[in-house]
Amino acid sequence: NEYSRVENFRVFQDPAIQTIHEPGSIFKPITMAAALDAGKITPATSYVDKGVVDIGRRRITNYGQRIWGERSMTEVLEFSINTGAVFAEQQLGHENFLRYLKKFGIFEPTKIDLAGEVFSTNAEFQKGYEINFATASFGQGIEMTPMQVLKAFLTIANNGVPVDPFIAEQVISRDGTVSQANQAPGAKKPIISPKTVSDLTAMLVSVVQNGFAKSADIPGYYVAGKTGTAEISWSALGIARSGYSDQTVQSFIGYAPAFNPRFIILVKLDNPQTKTAEYSATPIFRDLAKYILDYYQIPPDYEVEE
């Protein structure tokens, strides 16, 4: 209650809507959704990863300097290959990429019914430099709030139809009038096709079953999800220096049951003492998801052999 004695005023912020960060690899499914929907790739489309992509004087590499060789787009998500996300964005084209990001609401607030929501117009990204599009494809050099990330994934989980997040389901006036809270009138149109949703969801299930998110697996259920480990820029730490520090934001976002979603969870950790989200955010997601599935007694997708 002694607000004047608090030295770090960030403790009063709601980080879900009042902090902006670079999401990292949890953004890759958005890039894939756009490229799939535009018909520029399929889950089986392959490319050859040489470990680097040179754009002008800038060089993009994979985590750990890995070289993956020939890989499909599904494997790009499974193993979170940066150069594969760049490849998908290049097949899509910069104008189309930007158009889909606007559809997903990346450059505007979610308008959730909470006070003080912030957002970034991503003015630097929208200048249209080649390197900006490349890094944005895997979630670096583009800024969002966690709620914006969640809203984008809600669109995927909701069969391609955008969802307006809200806290209060109804508002009841003094005279007893009931109105739906924070929901625009009229049905929203899908921004990606049901086939795109089906294909992408299958890819995200494969990430959990075969990729770096195996610790999110829940026996009996198909879980769709993606890990993200984003480097934190020096500027975000308040240091007047270009480039990125060795600190990270580690995240996992996922929904279940994957092909008939009942809930979606985003776990975001600021600079945990692990190398990647595979070991930090992902197990937390798994525990939360398992609790919800049990609590609501959601039927399993398949029988588990004893």
Side-chain angles (χ1 to χ4, degrees), residues 146-162:
M147 191 59 67
Q148 284 179 301
V149 177
L150 196 69
K151 182 176 179 178
F153 267 80
L154 277 169
T155 298
I156 299 169
N158 195 44
N159 208 33
V161 180

Side-chain angles (χ1 to χ4, degrees), residues 32 47 49 53 62 73 76 81-89 137:
M32 289 294 180
Y47 84 114
D49 168 48
V53 174
N62 296 317
M73 293 298 99
V76 166
I81 306 172
N82 291 344
T83 62
V86 175
F87 171 86
E89 192 279 332
S137 71

Side-chain angles (χ1 to χ4, degrees), residues 47-52 62 66-71 81 83-84:
Y47 84 114
V48 177
D49 168 48
K50 298 180 180 179
V52 299
N62 296 317
R66 290 285 300 269
I67 300 174
W68 292 92
E70 185 172 354
R71 296 288 173 172
I81 306 172
T83 62

Side-chain angles (χ1 to χ4, degrees), residues 53-61 86 89-90 94 97 124-125 127-138 140-142 244:
V53 174
D54 290 317
I55 298 178
R57 298 181 179 179
R58 300 282 296 276
R59 169 162 287 194
I60 292 171
T61 61
V86 175
E89 192 279 332
Q90 289 175 339
H94 302 335
F97 185 45
E124 185 65 27
F125 164 71
K127 287 180 180 178
Y129 298 126
E130 184 85 10
I131 188 64
N132 292 352
F133 285 107
T135 59
S137 71
F138 55 89
Q140 296 275 185
I142 189 166
Y244 290 85

Side-chain angles (χ1 to χ4, degrees), residues 90-142:
Q90 289 175 339
Q91 304 312 298
L92 176 63
H94 302 335
E95 289 187 9
N96 275 336
F97 185 45
L98 188 60
R99 181 168 60 86
Y100 273 98
L101 294 192
K102 289 178 178 177
K103 285 184 177 183
F104 273 105
I106 304 304
F107 308 123
E108 60 186 36
T110 67
K111 299 179 182 177
I112 192 170
D113 48 331
L114 291 171
E117 181 182 16
V118 302
F119 72 102
S120 172
T121 60
N122 284 283
E124 185 65 27
F125 164 71
Q126 293 200 63
K127 287 180 180 178
Y129 298 126
E130 184 85 10
I131 188 64
N132 292 352
F133 285 107
T135 59
S137 71
F138 55 89
Q140 296 275 185
I142 189 166

